[in-house]
Amino acid sequence: MSAENSTQPTVDETSAAQSHAFQAETRQVLHLMIHSLYSNKEIFLRELISNASDALDRLRFAGLQDASLLEAADELHIRIAADQEAGTLTISDNGIGMNHQDVMENIGTIAKSGTRQFLDQLSQDDKNHSQLIGQFGVGFYSAFIVADEVTVLTRKAGEPAGQGVRWSSDGGGEFTIQAEERQQQGTTIILRLKEAEKEFLQTWTLRSLINRYSDHIGFPIQLLQDQDKEDDDSKPEWEQVNKAQALWSLPKNEISDEDYQAFYKSLSHDLNDPLTWAHNKVEGAQSYTTLLYLPKNAPLDLMLQRDERQGVRLYANRVFIMDAAQQLLPHYLRFVRGVVDSQDLPLNVSRELLQENELVGKIRAAVIRRSLDMIARISRDEAETYTEFWKQFGAVLKEGVVEDMANRDRILPLLRFASTHDETAGSQTDLAGYLARMKPGQDAIFYITAEHHTAARNSPHVEVFRRKGIEVLLMSDRVDEWMMSYLHEFEGKSFKSVTKGDIDLGAIGSAEESGEETGATENAVELDADLLARISESLKDHVSAVKSSNRLTDSASCLVLSEDEMALHMQKMLRQAGQQVPESKPTLELNPQHAMVARLADEADDERFAMLAQLLFEQALLSEGGSLPDPAGFVRRINSLMTAAPAEPA
């Protein structure tokens, strides 16, 4: 931004400090962070150095478009200075800097879509604060773990000295901000350390932490050396204390596991070690390096991130190009973290050019393949670890079944499902395991989607399958109904929803297994045609047809959809979200052997008959996760039924 076009306030306009209240969520996060991360307090230095490195990366990229931005800075660097007498620690960089608007957006609020969910979860699990804060990310606010007061002095590159900004807060309910004359671009953060945290003013402590957490940072990290107190005019002596080499550019045999883990934490702002990683270098007609990580824990807003820029960082010859490059990772792999460094991409590449660049397409294919290979390796070699991975990221990975046809065959073996084969809590199966257990004569993979696991497990639709020993996959992720509308077969076996269309299990299994004649239905009794017609007339506004069921053994009724209709629980969810859902009338199936159905058949009173028929429909609707059109009426009918005298036979 040029000085002429700037709309930022100048020092004359806002020279007085202005006080602002933190967001309520920000105050809560600050309080929890200060008290929950105290045992891991040294991470504040890693976080502030990482932010400074990001600012230098962004300046270097901006300098590709406007060389004057780089001319205003000498060698790009991060500097750390401790003042024992003042009790302050200063971390500065000569990177991109911030203007007034940037400061308000970046350190005046916590603009995180999962903040409310994050805080709710913290309130529910006091024992797990540290892990959850790691999922949320700590960043700048970690400074308040060790500081009584934090001051930020900053000026955005390319803007005049009069548009510098001073921000200050003690981490309580407010912060102050004002314009300030500032000659140098970049950002300086001054921490007035708590009395108990003065160890972070020791040179050997700072050096040790930099070597442990930030040695891989690709810019010089310079530490101010102790000087003779009597020689106040001497020039400050800065010593570089990190290697300043991009970790991914080093040979793998020179990188320890601890190095990989430290780089991941700096890259992701995660407190936890990664689950695994893959480091690959490709040379030849195309030369590029990838370093990819799988986190252990999903961010709390992972399912909300589909419209946010997520993914790996893109470099060209170790020059940062952009963050969260969607062009290199599809949405369903948005949890993967890492870097891609190409030796062939131009430094001035834009997001628009990335979409058209043939090389980027090939790199993207390789990144997807290596990401899926990492996941496959864990699924194959570390079953318990994969179970935990699936709990965190399984619902997101399922999106790839729809979004990535080219890699569907790689994704399908990675899917895991609960099933009626083993209903132990947490038990899962893959599709290959299901195929191995299929009954003789079974030509379909049976499944059910439901609002939650208990609803799927206890659905009336599963009853006959459980009795016959035919396995059903129990699906309860929100993405499942959408995924299954695109997934039609696996290894030559079609998928069949037990809630849709006709079900014929007569040809499955031997007579010995089923205990009945092959081809026989579960219910030999058929309801009287006149009774079915009478029920159909009573429920004509709700159902398309009423018929005897061959899929119920214990329940009185169930609703059956056509093959192309959306599950009722999904219809309800979409309506609650304000979406338009096509109206549908399911078929009501009744269990001829159930006492409730027999009670209906004996009812002569038309009013009471209509009430009982309505209850059969409503209980089936509830079982499917649908919404009752008249909950109060349902309660009245239940009360009436419970207090009514026995019916006279027809």
Side-chain angles (χ1 to χ4, degrees):
M1 180 187 299
S2 67
E4 291 76 8
N5 295 329
S6 172
T7 59
Q8 294 297 316
T10 65
V11 67
D12 293 331
E13 294 172 320
T14 57
S15 56
Q18 299 175 347
S19 295
H20 299 270
F22 279 119
Q23 283 181 325
E25 289 91 344
T26 310
R27 291 197 299 272
Q28 287 179 265
V29 169
L30 279 169
H31 177 80
L32 289 166
M33 185 179 297
I34 292 168
H35 292 87
S36 300
L37 292 185
Y38 189 77
S39 62
N40 198 24
K41 56 192 175 184
E42 70 271 9
I43 59 98
F44 84 91
L45 188 61
R46 180 194 75 195
E47 294 297 306
L48 296 182
I49 290 175
S50 179
N51 288 348
S53 176
D54 288 346
L56 295 171
D57 268 333
R58 295 179 190 283
L59 175 66
R60 188 159 60 179
F61 180 62
L64 298 175
Q65 310 296 326
D66 183 355
S68 65
L69 298 179
L70 289 174
E71 292 171 0
D74 53 10
E75 178 192 25
L76 299 181
H77 58 253
I78 300 166
R79 286 180 169 172
I80 300 174
D83 188 326
Q84 298 277 355
E85 292 183 1
T88 60
L89 181 67
T90 302
I91 299 98
S92 63
D93 66 74
N94 55 350
I96 194 68
M98 293 179 285
N99 56 30
H100 185 277
Q101 180 179 340
D102 295 331
V103 172
M104 290 297 292
E105 291 179 353
N106 293 328
I107 58 176
T109 62
I110 292 183
K112 184 83 168 175
S113 56
T115 303
R116 172 48 53 195
Q117 182 186 4
F118 164 74
L119 292 169
D120 291 344
Q121 185 66 31
L122 283 177
S123 65
Q124 296 169 16
D125 190 354
D126 293 338
K127 298 178 181 178
N128 210 21
H129 282 177
S130 180
Q131 178 179 333
L132 287 168
I133 290 174
Q135 293 181 46
F136 185 79
V138 284
F140 168 79
Y141 295 98
S142 63
F144 290 101
I145 301 172
V146 298
D148 282 326
E149 183 181 51
V150 178
T151 300
V152 178
L153 309 174
T154 185
R155 196 197 87 201
K156 193 163 189 174
E159 298 190 357
Q163 290 183 4
V165 180
R166 172 184 287 265
W167 181 99
S168 183
S169 177
D170 62 4
E174 293 185 341
F175 62 88
T176 62
I177 186 169
Q178 67 186 103
E180 180 171 280
E181 190 85 16
R182 180 171 168 82
Q183 296 303 315
Q184 66 270 30
Q185 68 184 38
T187 300
T188 296
I189 299 176
I190 304 170
L191 311 182
R192 181 162 57 79
L193 296 182
K194 299 174 182 178
E195 192 62 35
E197 310 303 339
K198 296 298 179 65
E199 64 175 301
F200 294 112
L201 299 176
Q202 302 294 329
T203 299
W204 67 268
T205 299
L206 295 170
R207 186 189 304 274
S208 174
L209 292 176
I210 293 168
N211 290 153
R212 185 191 313 170
Y213 291 122
S214 305
D215 200 45
H216 59 275
I217 293 293
F219 299 97
I221 302 175
Q222 301 170 350
L223 190 60
L224 182 63
Q225 299 304 295
D226 294 332
Q227 294 178 263
D228 188 345
K229 299 292 184 182
E230 298 179 359
D231 188 6
D232 293 335
D233 295 329
S234 61
K235 185 178 180 180
E237 294 184 9
W238 299 95
E239 178 190 1
Q240 182 173 325
V241 292
N242 69 320
K243 294 177 182 176
Q245 286 183 291
L247 182 85
W248 63 86
S249 66
L250 301 174
K252 287 192 284 187
N253 59 9
E254 296 181 12
I255 309 174
S256 67
D257 287 353
E258 291 75 16
D259 292 333
Y260 280 119
Q261 291 163 351
F263 179 68
Y264 165 77
K265 291 175 180 177
S266 174
L267 183 75
S268 65
H269 301 284
D270 190 346
L271 294 179
N272 300 299
D273 290 334
L275 191 65
T276 190
W277 58 85
H279 187 185
N280 298 93
K281 187 172 185 178
V282 176
E283 294 179 317
Q286 300 156 358
S287 298
Y288 58 90
T289 299
T290 61
L291 175 53
L292 306 174
Y293 291 93
L294 293 181
K296 282 184 179 177
N297 300 296
L300 291 168
D301 59 347
L302 180 65
M303 297 306 294
L304 305 177
Q305 291 178 350
R306 285 189 53 81
D307 296 328
E308 297 181 17
R309 290 191 293 110
Q310 295 294 325
V312 298
R313 291 188 176 189
L314 177 62
Y315 290 78
N317 285 305
R318 293 186 292 282
V319 175
F320 173 76
I321 300 298
M322 64 187 67
D323 202 1
Q326 283 184 351
Q327 290 84 351
L328 297 178
L329 271 182
H331 283 300
Y332 76 91
L333 292 174
R334 57 187 175 273
F335 52 85
V336 176
R337 295 292 178 261
V339 297
V340 174
D341 189 354
S342 171
Q343 297 180 27
D344 303 310
L345 283 176
L347 292 178
N348 62 350
V349 68
S350 65
R351 293 190 183 276
E352 291 72 27
L353 288 175
L354 279 179
Q355 295 176 346
E356 303 170 0
N357 190 290
E358 182 180 355
L359 173 59
V360 171
K362 294 179 180 178
I363 294 176
R364 173 188 169 94
V367 171
I368 294 173
R369 185 174 65 253
R370 291 194 174 112
S371 298
L372 294 176
D373 285 347
M374 274 197 298
I375 299 171
R377 186 176 70 243
I378 299 173
S379 72
R380 182 180 62 249
D381 301 334
E382 304 174 48
E384 291 185 6
T385 301
Y386 192 71
T387 296
E388 294 305 312
F389 166 84
W390 186 258
K391 289 178 182 177
Q392 297 290 325
F393 303 107
V396 177
L397 190 61
K398 287 177 180 179
E399 295 173 11
V401 173
V402 178
E403 296 178 350
D404 193 354
M405 286 285 294
N407 286 290
R408 182 176 288 182
D409 288 344
R410 289 177 176 270
I411 298 170
L412 291 182
L414 303 176
L415 302 183
R416 297 293 183 270
F417 305 97
S419 90
T420 56
H421 168 68
D422 182 354
E423 301 192 54
T424 306
S427 178
Q428 296 177 327
T429 184
D430 60 6
L431 293 175
Y434 183 99
L435 293 187
R437 294 185 294 271
M438 287 176 66
K439 296 286 187 180
Q442 181 179 346
D443 59 2
I445 300 171
F446 293 105
Y447 72 93
I448 183 172
T449 65
E451 190 170 10
H452 48 76
H453 176 71
T454 301
R457 185 185 64 208
N458 296 333
S459 170
H461 292 279
V462 179
E463 291 173 0
V464 69
F465 292 87
R466 188 175 277 115
R467 175 169 292 189
K468 282 178 159 289
I470 300 171
E471 186 173 356
V472 178
L473 300 178
L474 308 174
M475 303 184 186
S476 54
D477 287 330
R478 287 189 173 187
V479 70
D480 286 331
E481 181 76 9
W482 176 59
M483 175 185 71
M484 295 311 297
S485 67
Y486 288 84
L487 184 56
H488 305 299
E489 65 90 27
F490 176 72
E491 300 291 341
K493 298 293 185 180
S494 62
F495 286 92
K496 169 66 177 170
S497 171
V498 301
T499 68
K500 299 179 182 181
D502 294 330
I503 296 291
D504 182 6
L505 305 181
I508 300 178
S510 65
E512 290 79 11
E513 286 179 314
S514 63
E516 57 191 51
E517 292 291 332
T518 300
T521 61
E522 187 69 24
N523 295 308
V525 180
E526 288 287 331
L527 291 171
D528 180 74
D530 291 338
L531 174 63
L532 293 175
R534 188 181 177 195
I535 299 172
S536 295
E537 177 62 25
S538 180
L539 297 175
K540 62 183 179 181
D541 292 336
H542 303 297
V543 300
S544 61
V546 181
K547 59 186 290 188
S548 297
S549 180
N550 64 356
R551 67 180 89 205
L552 297 174
T553 63
D554 301 313
S555 299
S557 60
C558 69
L559 295 175
V560 178
L561 300 169
S562 64
E563 295 286 359
D564 57 353
E565 284 186 291
M566 183 187 301
L568 294 176
H569 71 94
M570 281 296 295
Q571 293 183 28
K572 180 180 76 171
M573 186 180 73
L574 291 175
R575 289 192 183 99
Q576 290 172 342
Q579 301 293 318
Q580 293 291 327
V581 179
E583 291 296 327
S584 64
K585 285 187 177 182
T587 295
L588 176 66
E589 290 195 2
L590 301 177
N591 181 355
Q593 298 176 330
H594 197 278
M596 182 76 169
V597 177
R599 168 80 172 78
L600 182 64
D602 291 338
E603 184 57 67
D605 183 83
D606 288 341
E607 182 177 349
R608 207 155 31 184
F609 181 91
M611 179 190 70
L612 290 171
Q614 183 75 13
L615 283 174
L616 282 171
F617 165 75
E618 289 172 330
Q619 70 179 32
L621 184 62
L622 287 174
S623 296
E624 298 299 314
S627 296
L628 293 177
D630 181 13
F634 172 74
V635 172
R636 287 195 300 271
R637 284 184 283 276
I638 289 288
N639 292 340
S640 177
L641 178 65
M642 294 176 66
T643 57
E648 294 294 333

